Amino acid sequence: MWVGVGYDARVVHGADMELKQKIGKGAYVLSMLREVAHFGNQRYRLNIDGRPYDCCSAILANGQHYGGSFVLSRLADITRPSVQAILFQHTSRWALQRFMVALLFGRAESINGVLSLAANRIELVRPEGELLQMDGDPAPPMPALVEVDHEPLPVRVSATLARKHGVE
């Protein structure tokens, strides 16, 4: 569902898992506050459908919601054969803070300095060895390839779970 590089990956890798067992998502909030100081210090190269893009952080999303109920991308749709690439182009801490506030209101893609692109193939190429996160867990480092599989994956959901979430 999610792949992150830059700030997003640093937050995941910096979260204290023992603390997460005790306070839940609060462990990520503490990591977010610590990692603000490092935001924008690194540049990343992504090749999106064969075209190069540079950014200071990126999140690749297959769904709209991020970290629970926050809407990161109104354009991401798990039913479409694409991934939404959200690229952060401004390196200032002020830009990061604006993004976080916009995320609270579901407006993350609409702020200046955030580029959102639908893609089928995303290569995370530079710098090699840089941290990644996948679905909120630490992942193997760059380089990496995210590619859409156009064959749907069948998923079976129990009737009890479906009712719990209001799905008929």
Side-chain angles (χ1 to χ4, degrees), residues 37-68:
H38 302 290
F39 179 74
N41 293 342
Q42 182 65 264
R43 299 294 291 176
Y44 304 96
R45 168 62 55 93
L46 283 68
N47 292 330
I48 300 175
D49 290 335
R51 190 167 168 205
Y53 289 88
D54 290 327
C55 62
C56 65
S57 197
I59 301 173
L60 313 178
N62 198 22
Q64 292 186 354
H65 293 93
Y66 180 78

Side-chain angles (χ1 to χ4, degrees), residues 108-121:
E109 288 172 303
S110 65
I111 65 170
N112 187 27
V114 173
L115 178 62
S116 182
L117 304 164
N120 288 302
R121 180 183 170 91

Side-chain angles (χ1 to χ4, degrees), residues 1 4 28 31 35 54 59 75 86 142 150 156 159 164 166:
M1 293 292 297
Y28 290 107
S31 183
E35 292 302 327
D54 290 327
I59 301 173
L75 301 172
I86 296 95
M142 290 174 65
H150 293 281
R156 181 174 296 211
K164 179 180 176 184

Side-chain angles (χ1 to χ4, degrees), residues 6-127:
Y7 179 74
D8 184 60
R10 288 181 169 278
V11 166
V12 169
H13 281 266
D16 182 328
M17 291 301 119
E18 287 182 26
L19 188 59
K20 184 181 174 202
Q21 294 291 330
K22 295 175 186 172
I23 66 170
K25 290 182 182 179
Y28 290 107
V29 173
L30 292 174
S31 183
M32 287 171 70
L33 295 172
R34 277 192 311 271
E35 292 302 327
V36 166
H38 302 290
F39 179 74
N41 293 342
Q42 182 65 264
R43 299 294 291 176
Y44 304 96
R45 168 62 55 93
L46 283 68
N47 292 330
I48 300 175
D49 290 335
R51 190 167 168 205
Y53 289 88
D54 290 327
C55 62
C56 65
S57 197
I59 301 173
L60 313 178
N62 198 22
Q64 292 186 354
H65 293 93
Y66 180 78
S69 60
F70 299 110
V71 176
L72 173 66
S73 173
R74 294 188 183 281
L75 301 172
D77 184 344
I78 196 167
T79 65
R80 283 195 312 225
S82 64
V83 171
Q84 204 65 28
I86 296 95
L87 308 180
F88 303 85
Q89 299 176 309
H90 292 177
T91 60
S92 73
R93 291 184 192 108
W94 171 242
L96 178 62
Q97 291 169 354
R98 276 195 343 257
F99 171 78
M100 288 181 187
V101 170
L103 181 63
L104 292 173
F105 296 99
R107 308 279 301 150
E109 288 172 303
S110 65
I111 65 170
N112 187 27
V114 173
L115 178 62
S116 182
L117 304 164
N120 288 302
R121 180 183 170 91
I122 303 167
E123 297 171 273
L124 298 107
V125 292
R126 283 198 319 250

